[in-house]
Amino acid sequence: MAAGLTIKKGSCARFRPPTLVESESIDSTVEMKKSVEFIQSMKQANQKIAMLTAYDCPTARVLNEAELDVILVGDSLGMVVLGFEDTRSVTMADMLHHTRAVARGNTECLLIADLPYRTYETPSDAVKNARMLRDAGADAVKPEGKKLESIKAIVADGIPVVGHVGLLPQTSETFRVHGRKPSEAVQIVDDAKALQAAGCFAVVLEGIPARLAKEITGVLRIPTIGIGAGAACDGQVLVLHDLIGFFDQFNPTFAKKYADLGRDLKRAVSHYRSEVKRGLFPDKEHTYN
Ligand code: KIV
């Protein structure tokens, strides 16, 4: 971004990349929400993009307070919140319900919502469903894989799209690292380039070797956001429940646990149960006179 750039409504004054001029006069009506352009400018400014999933309003509020850049209402919802075995059971109704909840708590992060399995098979379905997610509060949508005609149709409709290559949970047979074989690696690079050409403003790289993610990040103009794709990506995304230790069915190597809320919640509930059983709760402090 060049010096003297005007900060437009929808770009984010508080989170300007370092190349912006500090003396820039900022219109007080400027929204604080991070825009697609802002997220893209972070690549040029060499600033890492921090993205996490969220599925409800209080979590969205916390992610905003923690000054995250991007929230993804992922269809990982199906596994970590709804109790399904995979993401394929997630419906548009589920995604709309949770996107609305997250949007109510989101003020500053760019909000992306996943298009669930089989909701973007044709361009007309893709546009119809992307519009519904946008109306529910999403700033952008994310389909998986190389559905180029559907992606072009959504972009032409004015809705920003994030691509997703590598391991594609909606359609992959196994949850293994993709792109270790040279032929697979070439295919993933080509797919990422095709998504950029189709109009995606960023691309998620999931479950691929770090050196392949580095190559793609170097080749693409748009930001790459990695999950299990090493440190060279322009940004990182994790499923929140992995990060906070609130999902124990599955423990991928890349998912660093920053807290153990499952353990803390169990302790709190056991403590409550014990106090109720022993007649210690409610005490005077928690009783109306
Ligand atoms: O559904 C999801 O949470 C995702 C991330 C794994 C990128 O798509």
Side-chain angles (χ1 to χ4, degrees):
M1 243 183 234
L5 175 131
T6 313
I7 298 172
K8 289 192 223 112
K9 197 170 164 66
S11 62
C12 181
R14 237 180 85 194
F15 303 95
R16 283 174 296 164
T19 49
L20 291 183
V21 176
E22 284 306 321
S23 61
E24 192 71 58
S25 71
I26 299 163
D27 180 348
S28 59
T29 61
V30 163
E31 285 170 18
M32 298 305 283
K33 199 157 189 236
K34 289 171 186 170
S35 64
V36 163
E37 294 73 25
F38 178 81
I39 297 302
Q40 287 196 302
S41 75
M42 291 177 80
K43 177 167 181 140
Q44 278 78 54
N46 246 331
Q47 279 192 359
K48 293 281 188 185
I49 300 160
M51 165 163 150
L52 279 176
T53 64
Y55 315 97
D56 60 42
C57 176
T59 306
R61 287 196 184 120
V62 170
L63 300 193
N64 274 263
E65 280 162 22
E67 299 189 1
L68 206 74
D69 300 309
V70 186
I71 294 180
L72 169 68
V73 186
D75 60 358
S76 48
L77 165 76
M79 297 168 81
V80 301
V81 174
L82 302 180
F84 294 124
E85 280 198 351
D86 55 38
T87 59
R88 273 172 252 196
S89 309
V90 175
T91 63
M92 269 306 289
D94 295 329
M95 288 304 300
L96 292 171
H97 182 72
H98 287 270
T99 300
R100 284 189 200 104
V102 170
R104 277 178 216 119
N106 181 48
T107 49
E108 297 183 6
C109 301
L110 185 80
L111 180 50
I112 301 168
D114 268 347
L115 276 160
Y117 184 49
R118 293 214 157 147
T119 62
Y120 49 95
E121 297 291 294
T122 63
S124 63
D125 272 1
V127 170
K128 183 187 75 187
N129 290 316
R131 281 183 184 171
M132 284 202 272
L133 287 169
R134 179 203 54 201
D135 294 346
D139 301 308
V141 298
K142 180 171 75 61
E144 286 183 12
K146 219 169 105 184
K147 289 270 177 210
L148 298 180
E149 293 316 310
S150 295
I151 290 170
K152 284 181 196 164
I154 302 170
V155 173
D157 201 52
I159 301 173
V161 178
V162 179
H164 188 150
V165 296
L167 170 61
L168 305 175
Q170 290 178 4
T171 48
S172 288
E173 293 303 317
T174 51
F175 278 52
R176 64 172 175 86
V177 176
H178 283 54
R180 282 209 167 114
K181 286 190 212 147
S183 59
E184 240 180 37
V186 169
Q187 185 64 57
I188 294 171
V189 176
D190 285 352
D191 290 355
K193 285 184 187 163
L195 291 174
Q196 173 175 271
C200 290
F201 77 88
V203 62
V204 167
L205 308 179
E206 178 163 0
I208 63 172
R211 66 178 183 292
L212 179 58
K214 188 174 179 186
E215 181 188 336
I216 297 170
T217 301
V219 164
L220 294 192
R221 191 178 65 246
I222 58 174
T224 58
I225 316 233
I227 173 161
C233 300
D234 298 307
Q236 296 292 325
V237 56
L238 280 179
V239 170
L240 181 84
H241 287 56
D242 290 335
L243 176 147
I244 62 174
F246 205 37
F247 183 68
D248 58 9
Q249 310 292 305
F250 196 65
N251 190 17
T253 314
F254 61 79
K256 182 170 174 185
K257 210 166 163 179
Y258 286 80
D260 198 343
L261 260 58
R263 180 200 58 201
D264 294 348
L265 182 58
K266 189 171 158 197
R267 274 192 195 147
V269 172
S270 300
H271 192 183
Y272 163 78
R273 176 188 170 274
S274 154
E275 290 204 345
V276 170
K277 299 276 180 194
R278 291 184 290 145
L280 298 174
F281 178 84
D283 53 13
K284 275 201 185 133
E285 202 189 330
H286 298 97
T287 304
Y288 295 120
N289 292 312

